[in-house]
Amino acid sequence: MQTLPDGTLVLSSAPAPAVPQNGFADFAAYWAQRRGAAPAFSERDAQGAWRTISWAELWDQVRAVAAALLNLGLGPQRPLMLLSGNSIEQAVLLLAAEHAGVPTVPVSPAYSLVSRDFSRLKDVFGLVRPAALFVQDRAAFEPALAALGVADLPVIAVSGASDSRHAWSTLASTELTPAGLAALACARAAIEPADTVRLLLTSGSTGVPKAVAMSYGNLKAATAYLDYLFGPLADPQPVFLDWMPWHHTMGGVLSFGRSMVTGASHYLDDGAPVPGRFERTLRNLREVSPTIFTSAPVAFAMLANELERDEALAQTLFARLMCFGYGGASLARDVWERIQRVAERTIGERIAFRTSLGATETNGTGTYLASPSDDLGNVGVPGPGVDAKLIPLAGGDGRYELRLRGGAIFGGYFDAPELSAAAFDNERYFRLGDTVRLADPRDPMRGLLYAGRIAEDFKLANGTWVRTGQLRLALLERCSPLLTDAVICGHDRDYVAALAWPNLAALQRLAPELDGLDAAALVQHPRVVAALTECLRAPANTQQGASLVVRRVLLMAEPPSIDAGEIADKGYVNQAACRARRAGLIDALFRGIPEAHVACVR
């Protein structure tokens, strides 16, 4: 650690040991030789059964599809854009494109399947100018394809391809002729460390998505980073069940890469931590016992509800579990304690929760909490090969702006030189926009406590700063388990209030007459408002450090909108976008005499 005259701290970590593999595709070849018959990726088929591809089959398909991509004329300046979500075929395609030197652009399926105007999809398409597209089922994506006007562009499809040359079965069965192998070897030999392997779109949790250019050099550094952290898990073969989307760095680099470096058996979770889909995750967890289970913090609140009442689920989940993992936001202590009580009852011991802090721009690297800790806001210390610069912020509350530098961290945004220049300081540290505190001011190596995003904080009318991230977590803890997430409000107002989304299952259990009511009825029911009011009256958890408290809460039935940028696929809520879009609700929240469905305390 180094302390500069202005109070800035610099924390550095030694580089990870080099590995012979240059990226994830090289690990596909490695495990095909050593673990060929073992399962690599598994997913549910249309009938609900698991279909699996082995490591040997994976490597065979990677080479065949890599040759096919070159046959289609794709290359370093002719990228491939992926519109659909996680699948075995997409795993093959990502590895094949990496192997052949073809940049890939994984895009949120919501841009095509949920969006009504396809505006974000059109923006990304215009920015990256792909030479081909990939979809799992062409029929499902036909409206989006029509909106893009791509009649002359090759559209690779697993089902419903309009041209047999672009059918997945055709690509996967490409014969590796001597000429094809020579072309593939030539393409691989031409790859330079600065070449782009993937364009990852930022989640848009604090603004419009940008395209992060991940280079082959970045990928090699990220591979060594992941191998250092997770390589010891490789024997015996680990098992992962994961829903995190591969178009985001948490899923596509950290989770996907973790499986590649460990030669894991990776089950694709077709669920997600949202109502209507989490049931699928629970179904999968009843059949698959993961070595590590990673998800968004909101998922653990939902999981706690089920573990407490389903002993069989707990037995399966904890059968081989080494730790939980989460990122993107803080975990409520109440949720942590509830899960630990189930773990102690089931296996006689507590389970570690490990977390990290990074960004799309850091390509799966950043800070990492490796040791067990009950300090839930602790995001650890810089991972191997990462330097962290902590710049003290005004206000006297011990917060620092966090900036990172390292071999895996990107060099700039695609086709956006001004944004790229603004993203770095004069020492090439990337400005994350996040703040942290020292877990122990006397010993920075005890870890960093996440303290929120700079852009989300605001001032009350009296000039008091509201630390949105800190207050949001305090509210969720105070009202647990009634809420799943909240938007903190009060800019230029006299006090703090919040818009919040309900935990429907928890609300329905409050009283017999609530069972079976839908969201619209529940959020305005007097029994619900009364229960929420009691939570607001409860003493604050001083461990969360908030001198301010939320005085009013209005529950919302309408989920956050992807089209409006209110939520990212990883589940992170864009506070500013929600406040802008729901300004009418905020006005109602601050009326002198609140409406009956607003929970409030003086």
Side-chain angles (χ1 to χ4, degrees), residues 96 353 364 569:
F353 278 76
D569 281 328

Side-chain angles (χ1 to χ4, degrees), residues 397 399 437 451-472 487-497 546-550 575 579 590:
D397 58 356
R399 296 191 313 151
R437 292 186 178 88
R453 302 186 73 92
I454 296 173
E456 291 181 347
D457 294 345
F458 59 86
K459 284 185 179 181
L460 295 176
N462 63 8
T464 300
W465 273 105
V466 176
R467 308 305 183 193
T468 296
Q470 182 180 2
L471 204 52
R472 169 190 161 275
V487 178
I488 303 299
C489 310
H491 179 70
D492 287 340
R493 309 275 187 169
D494 293 328
Y495 55 90
V496 181
S547 57
L548 294 171
V549 295
V550 176
Q575 297 272 324
R579 288 194 290 255
F590 285 95

Side-chain angles (χ1 to χ4, degrees), residues 15 18 64 105 195 212-213 234 251 300 337 392 447 449 535 539:
V105 191
D195 289 345
V212 172
F300 291 102
E337 290 175 344
L449 302 178
C535 291

Side-chain angles (χ1 to χ4, degrees), residues 62-344:
V62 165
R63 289 184 295 165
V65 173
L69 295 179
L70 295 179
N71 291 340
L72 289 175
L74 303 183
Q77 305 305 318
R78 293 176 57 79
L80 172 66
M81 186 167 159
L82 290 66
L83 304 189
S84 50
N86 301 7
S87 69
I88 289 176
E89 290 79 15
Q90 184 169 135
V92 172
L93 194 57
L94 289 171
L95 295 168
E98 175 195 326
H99 190 63
V102 177
T104 50
V105 191
V107 177
S108 169
Y111 291 2
S112 299
L113 301 178
V114 178
S115 176
R116 296 179 180 179
D117 60 11
F118 305 110
S119 58
R120 285 199 171 185
L121 181 65
K122 293 176 182 176
D123 288 343
V124 174
F125 183 84
L127 174 65
V128 304
R129 301 177 294 280
L133 301 173
F134 169 79
V135 296
Q136 195 75 18
D137 179 1
R138 174 145 188 162
F141 287 83
E142 202 61 62
L145 295 173
L148 292 178
V150 292
D152 298 329
L153 207 63
V155 179
I156 301 167
V158 177
S159 62
S162 60
D163 187 327
S164 61
R165 294 175 301 170
H166 305 146
W168 179 259
S169 58
T170 301
L171 272 66
S173 59
T174 300
E175 182 181 358
L176 291 173
T177 63
L181 289 171
L184 188 55
C186 183
R188 285 190 54 74
I191 295 173
E192 297 289 342
D195 289 345
T196 298
V197 61
R198 203 180 301 181
L199 289 175
L200 287 167
L201 301 175
T202 61
S203 64
S205 58
T206 58
V208 177
K210 301 176 285 291
V212 172
M214 180 186 194
S215 71
Y216 278 86
N218 294 150
L219 177 61
K220 183 174 177 62
T223 299
Y225 180 100
L226 295 173
D227 183 71
Y228 178 82
L229 292 181
F230 301 110
L233 299 178
D235 190 18
Q237 184 184 27
V239 176
F240 301 126
L241 173 73
D242 197 270
W243 71 274
M244 301 295 282
W246 292 344
H247 61 265
H248 185 267
T249 189
M250 182 73 172
V253 179
L254 197 152
S255 295
F256 186 86
R258 180 179 62 190
S259 290
M260 296 306 300
V261 301
T262 60
S265 175
H266 184 119
Y267 286 82
L268 279 64
D269 181 9
D270 56 346
V274 295
R277 289 190 61 190
F278 194 64
E279 293 77 7
R280 300 180 195 175
T281 294
L282 296 175
R283 175 194 179 189
N284 294 334
L285 283 173
R286 291 186 177 97
E287 299 180 21
V288 178
S289 297
T291 304
I292 298 176
F293 181 69
T294 302
S295 196
V298 65
F300 291 102
M302 304 170 79
L303 184 61
N305 294 337
E306 301 302 323
L307 289 174
E308 288 170 336
R309 62 187 183 186
D310 189 336
E311 184 176 344
L313 172 64
Q315 290 286 350
T316 304
L317 173 60
F318 292 115
R320 66 159 62 90
L321 192 71
M322 295 183 61
C323 68
F324 290 110
Y326 67 95
S330 296
L331 183 69
R333 179 164 294 277
D334 173 73
V335 171
W336 180 84
E337 290 175 344
R338 291 165 61 200
I339 291 178
Q340 296 293 15
R341 284 194 292 268
V342 177
E344 290 178 321

Side-chain angles (χ1 to χ4, degrees), residues 510-595:
L510 288 174
E513 65 266 29
L514 301 179
D515 188 27
L517 293 184
D518 63 12
L522 280 170
V523 298
Q524 298 199 28
H525 198 284
R527 292 294 295 268
V528 170
V529 176
L532 195 53
T533 299
E534 285 302 310
C535 291
L536 295 180
R537 289 173 177 162
N541 182 353
T542 55
Q543 286 187 338
Q544 290 304 325
S547 57
L548 294 171
V549 295
V550 176
R551 290 171 52 181
R552 293 184 179 184
V553 174
L554 189 156
L555 291 179
M556 301 176 291
E558 181 198 4
S561 166
I562 286 181
D563 268 353
E566 290 185 315
I567 191 169
D569 281 328
K570 64 180 180 178
Y572 190 90
V573 169
N574 184 329
Q575 297 272 324
C578 287
R579 288 194 290 255
R581 181 171 179 264
R582 302 177 190 244
L585 292 179
I586 294 175
D587 289 339
L589 190 58
F590 285 95
R591 284 181 188 147
I593 300 177
E595 298 182 34

